[in-house]
Amino acid sequence: VVLANATGCVEVGTSIYPYTSWRVPWFHSAFENAAATIAGIESMYRSLKKQGKIPADKEIKFIAFGGDGGTYDIGLQALSGALERGHTFLYVCYNNEAYMNTGIQRSSSTPLGASTTTSPAGKVIPGKTQHRKDLTAIVAAHNIPYVAQAVPSHWRDLTTKTRKALALEGPSFINVLAPCHRGWRTPVDSAIELTKIAVDTCVWPLYEVENGVYRLNYKPKEKRPLIEWLNPQGRFAHLFQPENQSILEGLQETVDQQWEKLLKLCAENQKILDSNGHKC
């Protein structure tokens, strides 16, 4: 395997010079060009194979890691270009919903109402005033072989999706919600529980899009209210003040609408799968 890593939390935490946590070929890219870097490496690999400089039976997998800032925002152009060209690689978005590495600034992945250093809750604004971008849907619109959402708490689902993505020819993408205790203002040991709640409140559904077919990977037996996800996080504490009640209600309404939309997409595709004799 060969890896490219955008500047960000993963890169900083695993490669403090002169040390490294990586025991495979690993390339550190700028914030914005991890996808372009891995695409170039994959192109070189295919060229060297054609030239006979790499054995024809030697198979190498290519993976790029980027945070939400380097993926949703300043890396989106490089990612879109690499997806459109059809390079064979897996891109993993390490999504903690802000530029955590550089000071907890808001990104387009930051949810409505979250307080960050560039969208601080106070007298002027009640946290971020825009809804987060649906990057998973944007990537799916590129009509690539595989797109998915995952969380670390549901580790078997994450592992299965990673294996599936790496087995395919062409680009694949997994958007992984990963809490940051400093930016989310939560206890250090709460990350796994928070991602479980994110899935059960449907603020972060687990689903995949394989060759254009939507499939739901997990459906809560009972959908939990969104406040159970918001309440433990200090970045949303101000939303529980009486004057911000409408924001809480709007957030719940948005999650409900997006969940129903996803259920319809998956149900429509399930009918197609069932008619072809495939198992759910």
Side-chain angles (χ1 to χ4, degrees):
V1 65
V2 175
L3 307 173
N5 203 157
T7 296
C9 303
V10 171
E11 172 266 320
V12 169
T14 61
S15 62
I16 301 172
Y17 184 81
Y19 306 103
T20 178
S21 300
W22 304 95
R23 296 191 178 188
V24 296
W26 177 87
F27 292 79
H28 170 208
S29 298
F31 252 119
E32 69 275 10
N33 65 347
T37 300
I38 204 69
I41 298 168
E42 187 263 356
S43 296
M44 179 186 68
Y45 161 74
R46 287 188 286 108
S47 174
L48 291 174
K49 262 195 168 184
K50 287 180 180 178
Q51 296 174 51
K53 295 180 180 179
I54 291 180
D57 60 349
K58 184 176 177 65
E59 186 178 2
I60 299 176
K61 301 294 184 181
F62 301 93
I63 305 174
F65 292 100
D68 53 283
T71 307
Y72 276 68
D73 297 337
I74 57 179
L76 183 59
Q77 181 180 8
L79 175 61
S80 179
L83 298 177
E84 185 271 333
R85 292 190 302 273
H87 298 275
T88 298
F89 70 99
L90 165 61
Y91 191 105
V92 179
C93 179
Y94 182 81
N95 183 1
N96 44 36
E97 299 191 324
Y99 288 85
M100 301 302 184
N101 175 53
T102 56
I104 317 175
Q105 298 93 344
R106 56 89 85 195
S107 76
S108 59
S109 172
T110 307
L112 174 74
S115 182
T116 72
T117 54
T118 50
S119 61
K123 293 180 180 179
V124 178
I125 57 170
K128 188 177 174 230
T129 56
Q130 302 85 15
H131 284 283
R132 68 184 180 192
K133 182 191 294 180
D134 189 352
L135 181 63
T136 309
I138 292 170
V139 173
H142 286 72
N143 298 314
I144 63 174
Y146 191 76
V147 181
Q149 285 193 172
V151 289
S153 58
H154 293 60
W155 60 268
R156 192 183 298 276
D157 174 76
L158 175 57
T159 302
T160 300
K161 286 171 175 172
T162 303
R163 287 174 172 163
K164 185 179 286 189
L166 289 172
L168 294 168
E169 186 73 21
S172 52
F173 175 88
I174 303 179
N175 200 348
V176 183
L177 184 68
C180 171
H181 70 276
R182 291 189 69 247
W184 290 25
R185 301 176 201 167
T186 53
V188 176
D189 61 356
S190 66
I192 298 302
E193 182 59 29
L194 279 171
T195 52
K196 286 180 181 177
I197 298 171
V199 172
D200 285 336
T201 57
C202 300
V203 72
W204 194 259
L206 301 183
Y207 71 98
E208 59 189 349
V209 187
E210 190 170 0
N211 293 316
V213 177
Y214 280 73
R215 184 181 293 107
L216 194 66
N217 304 116
Y218 175 84
K219 186 176 182 181
K221 291 181 180 178
E222 185 175 343
K223 185 165 170 283
R224 296 165 69 174
L226 184 62
I227 57 170
E228 292 186 21
W229 185 70
L230 299 171
N231 195 38
Q233 301 179 54
R235 60 178 178 160
F236 294 117
H238 58 284
L239 295 184
F240 292 88
Q241 297 171 2
E243 62 269 25
N244 292 324
Q245 182 64 33
S246 61
I247 299 175
L248 281 178
E249 294 170 356
L251 281 166
Q252 182 66 70
E253 185 179 343
T254 299
V255 168
D256 293 342
Q257 289 173 349
Q258 292 175 341
W259 175 242
E260 289 303 318
K261 181 181 177 181
L262 178 61
L263 288 178
K264 288 179 181 177
L265 281 169
C266 294
E268 289 169 4
N269 284 293
Q270 192 57 52
K271 290 176 184 175
I272 297 170
L273 290 171
D274 291 341
S275 66
N276 292 329
H278 294 296
K279 239 174 140 181
C280 178

